[in-house]
């Protein structure tokens, strides 16, 4: 079968993962693992993996199939990706590149990893 019914078994995993990542995000914030006045050299090897929490949260929010709340999930994903983006820029791991989209005429922002 195709469509939403074929993807339905993924839904409980997506919801559980969303909740787990939210808890992890709160712990990371509580522990103050990342700071505006540090460089990437100040971050321990064990801590670096927690930089990905926001990226994972954004990804998981994109996987929600709750069409009634789809817009909320897309907006949440956007915010989580922006937080990840900010952290990468803060530590000098990435920079922003801007390109003009020839189809829409809008300026598009890309994250370029060094």
């Amino acid at each position: 079968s195709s469509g939403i019914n074929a993807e339905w078994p993924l839904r409980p995993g997506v919801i559980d993962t969303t909740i787990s990542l939210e808890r992890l995000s709160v712990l990371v914030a509580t522990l103050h693992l990342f700071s505006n006045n540090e460089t990437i050299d100040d971050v321990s090897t064990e801590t670096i993996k927690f930089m990905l929490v926001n990226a994972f949260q954004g990804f998981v929010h994109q996987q929600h199939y709750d069409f009634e709340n789809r817009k909320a999930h897309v907006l949440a994903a956007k915010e989580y990706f922006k937080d990840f983006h900010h952290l990468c820029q803060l530590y000098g791991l990435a920079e922003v590149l801007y390109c003009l989209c020839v189809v829409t005429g809008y300026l598009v922002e890309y994250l370029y990893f060094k």
Side-chain angles (χ1 to χ4, degrees):
S1 165
S2 63
I4 194 71
N5 293 334
E7 298 166 43
W8 186 254
L10 296 176
R11 185 180 170 95
V14 169
I15 293 169
D16 292 345
T17 303
T18 302
I19 292 167
S20 295
L21 284 169
E22 187 59 37
R23 288 180 182 153
L24 182 57
S25 179
V26 169
L27 288 173
V28 168
T30 302
L31 294 172
H32 305 287
L33 296 180
F34 306 106
S35 171
N36 291 340
N37 59 359
E38 292 180 330
T39 67
I40 192 64
D41 294 330
D42 297 324
V43 179
S44 74
T45 304
E46 287 298 312
T47 302
I48 288 176
K49 61 188 166 201
F50 295 107
M51 291 179 78
L52 294 171
V53 171
N54 287 328
F56 288 143
Q57 284 179 293
F59 175 77
V60 170
H61 272 278
Q62 287 181 326
Q63 306 309 307
H64 279 266
Y65 295 105
D66 177 7
F67 292 108
E68 291 179 11
N69 296 313
R70 181 73 180 143
K71 184 176 181 180
H73 289 296
V74 169
L75 293 175
K78 180 180 177 183
E79 288 303 312
Y80 287 124
F81 284 130
K82 282 169 96 174
D83 291 344
F84 173 67
H85 175 200
H86 172 74
L87 197 57
C88 289
Q89 281 188 286
L90 179 69
Y91 285 104
L93 301 174
E95 59 188 51
V96 177
L97 299 178
Y98 295 95
C99 299
L100 184 62
C101 178
V102 294
V103 175
T104 64
Y106 291 114
L107 200 57
V108 179
E109 186 176 294
Y110 291 95
L111 187 61
Y112 170 75
F113 289 91
K114 298 178 179 181

